[in-house]
Amino acid sequence: MGRQQQIAYQLDLFSEQDRGAIYPTQTSQGVTEGMRGEGSQVTGAGEQERALTEDLMRHVFSSDNLRKAYKQVKQNDGSPGVDGQGIKPFGVWYILNGENLRYSLLTGSYTPDAVRPVEILKPDGKGTRQLGIPTVRDRVIQQAIYQVLNPLFDGEFSESSYGFRERRNAHQAVKKSSEYIKRGNFIVVDIDLEKFFDRVNHDRLMYRLSQKIGDKTLLRLIRKYLQSGILMGGLISQQTEGTPQGSPLSPLLSNIVLDELDKELEKRGHLFCCYADDCNIYVKSQKAGERVMDSIGKFIEGRLKLKINRQKSKVVPSGETKFLGYRLVKDGILTISPENIERFKDKVRKITKRNRGVSLERLISELNSVLRGWLQYFRFSKWRGVMLELDGWIRRKLRCYKLKLCKNVYTIKLFLSRHGINETQAWNVAKSGKGWWRKAKAPPVSRAMNLKWFNDLGLFCLTLNYDKLNN
C-alpha cells in the first residue's frame, strides 16, 4: 500500500455517505482526485500528502466523528467551562444547534470560548500548575480534530516517544530505559524543559502542522484554539505562546513540537526515552553526558525556542535521578523513587485524617482505590521490603483512626474486650495518656485489630498483591 493510500485509509473513519463526499474518485496511484482541485499538479511526496488533507474539515466535523467525539468527552467527564454548561446539557443543546455549529466551523466563522483557569498542585508538591478548562463544546470540537489528526501524525513519531500515544505507556518507557542501563549506558542526561506547555512557539507549531495539513480552514481553527484567552476576573487575557493544558488537542500538539527534538536525537545516534516533556538520554560516561547536555541544550533553546531549566536538568548516574516515578539503579533494576513514596504517604495521610468522621468501612474503600492504583503503576519495582513496611504503616494509621472513632475510655475498652483482649489490658490501653499514634502501636491493639480483622474489612494488602503480580 502506497503512502497516499495509507493516509486515505487512516482518514477513512466515517460512513459511506461521508466517504463518497470526500473521495469521489480514485486514481490508480491512490491520489484522490476529489481532493486535488481541478488543474492542480502534485509533484512531490510531501505535496501529495498535503493534497490528501485539503478537505479535512468535512472529515473532522462529519456527524459520525462528532458523535464519537461527544461520547469520548462524556466518558472523560470533567468540569464545565466558562459558560457553565455541563456534558448532558450540551447534548440537548447540540440536538437543537448542531447544524448551525457545523456550518460555522466549516465556513471558518466559529470562535472558541475562553478557557477557565484551574490551578493544581505539581506532583512534587512544590508550587502549582495552571490548567485551562475549555467549554464542553470546545472539548468536543477539539476531540473531533484529534481523532482525525492523530492517525496522520502518530505513525511518524519516534519509537522512543511514549507519552500520550495509543498502545504506548510509561511502563514501556521505563523498561526501555532499564535496557539501556543494562547495556552499560548508566549515565543519564536528564533534561527538564521549563514551563514547556506555556512556552510552545505558535508559529513553529503552525509551520509543522502546515507541512502535512492542506486544509487552511482547519489550520486557522487550530491557531484560534492556541490563542484562546484565559478568563480571569471578568477579563480575557490573550495567549501568544504555549498550548493550553487540559484540552483534548494539547497532547497531540505537544508531541508534534517535541518530535523535532526526537528526530534530532535519532539523527545523532543517541539512546533516549521521552514521555511528553520528560526526556532522558543514556550515555556511557560523565564527560559524554556533559557534551550531550551542552549540544542538545543549544538545539532546544536555539532551534525549538524552548527553555531548559538549568537547575533541574542534570547529568548523573541513573540511581541519582528518577524517570516517571521510578528510580533505575546501575544494573537496570527498577525501584521506587523516595519522592514518590513520600507523595503516596501524603495521600494516605489525607484519607486517614483522624477528624474526618466517616466510617472505617468507607475510609478503607477510598484507601483501597489509591492502593490498587499505586501498586498497579509500581508493580515492576523490586522493593518488596518497601511494600511490607508500607502495609504495617497503613494498618497502624487505621488502628489509630478506629481508636479515635471510639471517642471515650469506656468504648475503647469495650471494643478491645470484644476482640479478645483481657479486661486489665483493655483498661490499661483505654486509660493510657499516650497519644493516639502511640496507642495504636500497643500490642493489645495490634492483637485486637490483627491481619484477619483487616482482611475481613477488605483492606487491600500491598505485599500480598505485589507477590501475586510478580509470581
Side-chain angles (χ1 to χ4, degrees), residues 246-301:
S247 70
L249 197 53
S250 180
L252 174 61
L253 296 180
S254 66
N255 276 342
I256 291 170
V257 171
L258 292 167
D259 184 58
E260 198 168 354
L261 172 61
D262 297 341
K263 293 296 193 292
E264 182 67 18
L265 292 171
E266 287 178 340
K267 188 172 77 172
R268 299 186 187 191
H270 291 310
L271 301 177
F272 68 98
C273 285
C274 288
Y275 192 95
D277 60 332
D278 200 345
C279 181
N280 280 0
I281 306 168
Y282 300 89
V283 297
K284 293 183 182 292
S285 70
Q286 183 73 21
K287 192 173 182 179
E290 289 169 0
R291 282 200 307 268
V292 170
M293 176 67 83
D294 181 61
S295 61
I296 290 298
K298 290 176 180 176
F299 176 83
I300 290 171
E301 296 187 334

Side-chain angles (χ1 to χ4, degrees), residues 118-368:
V118 174
E119 288 194 346
I120 62 169
L121 277 175
K122 290 183 178 180
D124 58 8
K126 299 175 182 177
T128 60
R129 175 181 291 129
Q130 182 169 279
L131 301 183
I133 307 300
T135 60
V136 174
R137 178 171 62 246
D138 284 326
R139 293 210 293 273
V140 171
I141 293 169
Q142 290 192 48
Q143 179 65 30
I145 296 172
Y146 169 84
Q147 288 166 182
V148 170
L149 293 194
N150 189 58
L152 286 177
F153 285 93
D154 188 80
E156 296 184 1
F157 288 153
S158 169
E159 285 297 311
S160 297
S161 171
Y162 295 89
F164 308 126
R165 298 180 62 189
E166 293 179 7
R167 295 179 294 278
R168 285 176 169 263
N169 56 49
H171 287 149
Q172 292 169 334
V174 170
K175 286 181 176 179
K176 180 58 70 174
S177 298
S178 176
E179 289 178 21
Y180 292 151
I181 293 169
K182 286 177 182 177
R183 285 158 52 181
N185 303 280
F186 57 86
I187 298 297
V188 180
V189 182
D190 187 350
I191 298 174
D192 186 277
L193 298 178
E194 186 175 289
K195 297 183 177 179
F196 166 72
F197 288 93
D198 298 332
R199 295 185 183 275
V200 169
N201 185 284
H202 288 177
D203 291 335
R204 284 196 61 80
L205 173 55
M206 292 309 303
Y207 174 75
R208 294 295 305 277
L209 289 168
S210 69
Q211 293 296 99
K212 189 175 284 288
I213 299 172
D215 192 320
K216 293 182 180 179
T217 305
L218 178 57
L219 289 172
R220 283 194 291 268
L221 178 59
I222 293 172
R223 185 177 275 277
K224 285 180 181 179
Y225 275 117
L226 287 174
Q227 296 176 336
S228 293
I230 297 175
L231 183 64
M232 299 184 72
L235 299 175
I236 297 177
S237 61
Q238 206 67 31
Q239 300 294 100
T240 57
E241 61 180 3
T243 62
Q245 283 182 269
S247 70
L249 197 53
S250 180
L252 174 61
L253 296 180
S254 66
N255 276 342
I256 291 170
V257 171
L258 292 167
D259 184 58
E260 198 168 354
L261 172 61
D262 297 341
K263 293 296 193 292
E264 182 67 18
L265 292 171
E266 287 178 340
K267 188 172 77 172
R268 299 186 187 191
H270 291 310
L271 301 177
F272 68 98
C273 285
C274 288
Y275 192 95
D277 60 332
D278 200 345
C279 181
N280 280 0
I281 306 168
Y282 300 89
V283 297
K284 293 183 182 292
S285 70
Q286 183 73 21
K287 192 173 182 179
E290 289 169 0
R291 282 200 307 268
V292 170
M293 176 67 83
D294 181 61
S295 61
I296 290 298
K298 290 176 180 176
F299 176 83
I300 290 171
E301 296 187 334
R303 181 79 172 272
L304 302 187
K305 310 300 181 187
L306 298 171
K307 187 171 177 61
I308 290 180
N309 188 325
R310 301 289 176 179
Q311 291 182 326
K312 293 185 178 180
S313 298
K314 50 189 177 283
V315 180
V316 292
S318 61
E320 296 179 22
T321 187
K322 59 185 174 66
F323 184 48
L324 302 176
Y326 280 87
R327 187 172 69 171
L328 293 83
V329 296
K330 191 172 180 178
D331 54 3
I333 291 176
L334 302 175
T335 62
I336 309 169
S337 72
E339 297 93 335
N340 275 275
I341 293 174
E342 280 306 308
R343 201 175 303 154
F344 167 75
K345 292 178 82 170
D346 285 341
K347 287 183 180 179
V348 173
R349 289 186 186 103
K350 186 175 180 180
I351 293 172
T352 59
K353 198 173 180 180
R354 293 194 294 272
N355 62 359
R356 287 192 64 196
V358 301
S359 69
L360 188 63
E361 289 76 12
R362 177 181 161 184
L363 186 143
I364 287 176
S365 176
E366 292 178 25
L367 187 59
N368 281 350

